[in-house]
């Protein structure tokens, strides 16, 4: 089966929100991505939808009422008082109370819940929400640029219809919020690949494997700086294959954080656009209902390139894509080469240097062999 029914969620308001001057997270990147998707003529090849915005009630299926109520009411002016001087709900500079923060969250979460519904109804084989993937948000607190955990809400929606859901996270950071939400569940397996060691949020060792009934259902793949396409593939494919064989998920949610690309402002990996997209291609060919979400990604032009290319991968038209960029509203940003590519750089791959990649892979596979279904 080479063609897939693809549902693509996009809300044209999303790009206008701003976390504030100097903040690395730029919702505008979703608009630039959409502009490339449009310029490549992909809109005619999929169902393009504006999701119903997530309501406070829906958000409360994971978050506390008190926290959702706070987000609905906080403004830049009242933030100091409402956070008890930055000690509750929003802590530190990572999560400012920016203008419209609640609407931004309702767009992001609405897209992921809508994506889940398109999958469970059978209307789509693959559903995309580049405004989602905000994996650090906790039940009663914002964290790492994430306020509402659209991923957890999307997975909860999938669990209404499916017995088992696999969550895969290729963002450079650990998917801690999603892991924590399902840590004691054997119906959701979480698997995060991330930089570990003096890096935000500091969690995600291979000893963290889930608890109680969920023991063995959290898989962590901690990595070092400079991982290349080849190294990444050599750990991603065997670990995911083993998970598919043992866990047999009814649906997969793939968080496609693009801060794992070479040259990202906050990331420290060395993946090319094609190496990153290889994860999407590998998941697509498994023929399991699939949701693609965004996440991190701080070098805006590379985020847009990669997510546009991954939209093409979802459609199965990546081989027909002209790697010379078509004219688009942001064309001059893509100079000097004006190409759909993210090249690797000359940083050293610390994962192969000391043999740690092989050890991490073997340990993950060993843990999966011991999983009792
Ligand atoms: N790395 C990093 C980083 N940079 C910032 C930052 C920089 C400028 C600002 F004006 C505001 C924040 N914060 C961080 C990290 C959070 C990274 C979140 C990644 C999110 C994701 O890609 O996984 C998913 C969307 N925060 C920290 O390192 C915490 C601090 C410890 C250091 C930075 N200061 C600003 C806050 C505290
Ligand atoms: Ca990750
Ligand atoms: Zn990240």
């Amino acid at each position: 089966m080479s063609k897939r029914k693809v549902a693509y969620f996009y809300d044209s308001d999303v790009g206008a929100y701003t976390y504030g001057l100097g903040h690395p997270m730029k919702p505008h990147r979703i608009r630039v991505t959409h502009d490339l998707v449009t310029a490549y003529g992909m809109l005619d090849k999929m169902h393009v939808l504006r999701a119903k915005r997530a309501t406070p009630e829906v958000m409360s299926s994971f978050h506390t009422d008190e926290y959702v109520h706070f987000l609905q009411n906080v403004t830049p002016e009242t933030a100091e008082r409402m956070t008890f001087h930055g000690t509750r709900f929003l802590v530190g500079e990572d999560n400012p109370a920016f203008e419209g923060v609640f609407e931004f969250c309702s767009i992001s979460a609405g897209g992921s819940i809508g994506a889940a519904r398109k999958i469970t109804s059978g209307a789509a084989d693959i559903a995309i929400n580049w405004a989602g993937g905000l994996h650090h948000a906790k039940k009663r607190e914002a964290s790492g640029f994430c306020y509402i955990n659209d991923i957890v809400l999307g997975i909860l929606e999938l669990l209404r219809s499916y017995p088992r859901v696999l969550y895969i996270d290729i963002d450079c950071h650990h998917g801690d919020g999603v892991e924590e939400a399902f840590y004691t569940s054997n119906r959701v397996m979480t698997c995060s690949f991330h930089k570990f060691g003096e890096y935000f949020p500091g969690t995600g060792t291979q000893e963290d494997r889930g608890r109680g009934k969920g023991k063995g259902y959290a898989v962590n793949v901690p990595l070092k700086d400079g991982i290349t396409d080849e190294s990444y593939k050599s750990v991603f494919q065997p670990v995911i294959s083993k998970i598919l064989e043992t866990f047999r998920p009814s649906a997969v949610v793939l968080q496609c954080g693009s801060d794992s690309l070479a040259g990202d402002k906050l990331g420290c990996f060395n993946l090319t656009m094609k190496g990153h997209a290889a994860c999407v291609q590998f998941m697509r060919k498994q023929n399991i209902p699939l949701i693609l979400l965004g996440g991190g990604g701080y070098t805006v032009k590379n985020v847009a390139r990669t997510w546009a290319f991954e939209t093409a991968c979802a459609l199965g038209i990546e081989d027909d894509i002209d790697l010379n960029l078509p004219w688009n509203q942001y064309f001059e940003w893509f100079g000097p080469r004006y190409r759909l590519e993210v090249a690797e750089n000359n940083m050293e791959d610390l994962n192969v240097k000391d043999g740690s990649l092989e050890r991490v892979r073997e340990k993950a596979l060993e843990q999966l062999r011991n999983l009792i279904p």
Side-chain angles (χ1 to χ4, degrees):
M1 181 168 80
S2 79
K3 285 284 161 265
R4 303 285 193 288
K5 288 179 277 176
V6 178
Y8 169 88
F9 285 87
Y10 177 69
D11 188 315
S12 57
D13 291 340
V14 75
Y17 295 94
T18 152
Y19 279 58
L21 213 65
H23 198 290
M25 177 56 104
K26 303 197 184 302
H28 179 65
R29 67 207 175 120
I30 314 295
R31 182 152 65 195
V32 183
T33 301
H34 182 74
D35 213 58
L36 283 187
V37 167
T38 308
Y40 271 113
M42 291 186 233
L43 296 182
D44 296 337
K45 300 182 165 64
M46 55 195 179
H47 302 282
V48 180
L49 299 134
R50 176 189 282 240
K52 189 170 161 293
R53 296 188 179 188
T55 60
E57 291 69 41
V58 168
M59 292 175 180
S60 301
S61 60
F62 172 56
H63 297 281
T64 64
D65 291 344
E66 191 193 17
Y67 174 54
V68 174
H69 186 258
F70 160 83
L71 273 184
Q72 255 186 298
N73 290 289
V74 72
T75 66
E77 293 74 35
T78 60
E80 179 70 8
R81 179 172 56 79
M82 288 186 71
T83 61
F84 303 91
H85 310 287
T87 60
R88 283 201 74 192
F89 307 127
L90 310 175
V91 181
E93 291 155 50
D94 282 351
N95 292 83
F98 62 85
E99 193 72 55
V101 62
F102 182 80
E103 292 87 86
F104 171 75
C105 294
S106 67
I107 293 171
S108 162
S112 299
I113 296 163
R117 290 190 179 142
K118 283 287 160 195
I119 293 293
T120 56
S121 70
D125 305 311
I126 304 180
I128 303 174
N129 176 31
W130 296 129
L134 303 181
H135 59 177
H136 299 305
K138 307 287 161 35
K139 189 181 169 86
R140 53 186 87 244
E141 191 175 70
S143 171
F145 317 161
C146 309
Y147 301 79
I148 289 291
N149 203 313
D150 62 286
I151 309 169
V152 171
L153 298 175
I155 293 174
L156 289 173
E157 186 64 33
L158 292 172
L159 290 174
R160 289 160 62 121
S161 303
Y162 295 135
R164 290 176 307 282
V165 174
L166 170 62
Y167 172 68
I168 306 171
D169 186 316
I170 61 170
D171 190 288
C172 190
H173 298 93
H174 178 228
D176 59 348
V178 186
E179 177 181 284
E180 188 179 302
F182 299 110
Y183 208 59
T184 59
S185 171
N186 57 4
R187 292 183 60 200
V188 178
M189 182 172 274
T190 62
C191 179
S192 176
F193 298 80
H194 48 269
K195 150 83 179 180
F196 184 81
E198 287 176 49
Y199 200 64
F200 185 87
T203 47
T205 73
Q206 285 187 295
E207 316 314 319
D208 299 331
R209 303 179 50 200
R211 196 183 335 113
K213 269 206 268 181
K215 184 120 190 160
Y217 292 83
V219 178
N220 281 299
V221 183
L223 302 167
K224 296 183 179 173
D225 289 21
I227 194 162
T228 59
D229 293 352
E230 187 193 354
S231 295
Y232 203 88
K233 181 178 169 186
S234 81
V235 63
F236 183 87
Q237 295 196 356
V239 168
I240 298 300
S241 297
K242 191 77 194 159
I243 289 177
L244 295 175
E245 179 190 317
T246 55
F247 183 62
R248 294 181 301 106
S250 345
V252 176
V253 177
L254 176 59
Q255 195 267 22
C256 302
S258 54
D259 47 9
S260 39
L261 292 169
D264 186 81
K265 276 206 184 90
L266 298 190
C268 51
F269 288 170
N270 197 9
L271 298 184
T272 69
M273 176 186 82
K274 292 205 167 163
H276 193 274
C279 300
V280 174
Q281 292 172 313
F282 184 74
M283 293 323 298
R284 183 187 189 269
K285 74 173 186 215
Q286 307 302 327
N287 281 325
I288 302 169
L290 177 64
I291 295 183
L292 303 179
L293 303 175
Y298 305 99
T299 301
V300 169
K301 56 187 194 245
N302 290 342
V303 175
R305 284 175 164 120
T306 301
W307 289 349
F309 184 69
E310 288 172 351
T311 305
C313 293
L315 290 166
I317 58 163
E318 66 271 39
D319 292 338
D320 308 328
I321 286 279
D322 185 349
L323 297 180
N324 293 311
L325 286 166
W327 186 88
N328 64 87
Q329 250 182 284
Y330 303 99
F331 192 71
E332 68 275 20
W333 291 28
F334 297 99
R337 288 167 56 78
Y338 307 96
R339 297 267 300 167
L340 188 70
E341 68 183 0
V342 177
E344 65 180 356
N345 55 42
N346 60 3
M347 78 195 287
E348 190 176 10
D349 182 351
L350 297 183
N351 298 279
V352 291
K353 194 179 176 202
D354 62 356
S356 66
L357 186 69
E358 221 175 292
R359 285 196 296 277
V360 165
R361 183 206 305 121
E362 289 318 308
K363 184 162 179 170
L365 292 173
E366 173 66 16
Q367 291 175 342
L368 289 163
R369 275 193 292 272
N370 294 332
L371 184 77
I372 302 146

